[in-house]
Amino acid sequence: SLDLTGIDWVIVGGESGPGARPMDPDWVRQIRDWCQLFEVPFFFKQHGGRTPKAGGRELDGRTWDEYPA
C-alpha cells in the first residue's frame, strides 16, 4: 500500500534525455490507482525517453492532468 497521508498532489513521470532509463507503466498505474482510491489529484507528466515528449503523456488512453483544489 501507498501512504498518501498529508499528500495534496502526486506528479509522476519517466526520465528523459540521453541515458534515460525505461519506466514501467504498471508502476504508474499502481500510483494512479492509489491516488484515485484516496482522492489525491494525479498528474502524469511523461513516459520519458530520449526527449521529454518521446513517449507522450497518455496513460490508458487518457491524459492525467489533475490539480489540487
Side-chain angles (χ1 to χ4, degrees):
S1 92
L2 183 63
D3 183 6
L4 295 173
T5 304
I7 303 298
D8 296 320
W9 192 19
V10 173
I11 302 171
V12 176
E15 296 176 356
S16 61
R21 295 172 291 179
M23 183 190 63
D24 182 354
D26 287 336
W27 173 76
V28 180
R29 288 181 184 104
Q30 288 176 355
I31 294 172
R32 178 209 51 207
D33 293 349
W34 280 106
C35 287
Q36 288 185 312
L37 182 65
F38 291 101
E39 299 179 355
V40 174
F42 176 79
F43 187 100
F44 181 56
K45 188 173 178 181
Q46 66 186 14
H47 282 278
R50 182 141 178 86
T51 65
K53 296 183 180 182
R57 295 194 56 229
E58 282 192 9
L59 178 69
D60 298 334
R62 166 178 173 185
T63 301
W64 294 87
D65 284 339
E66 298 176 347
Y67 290 88

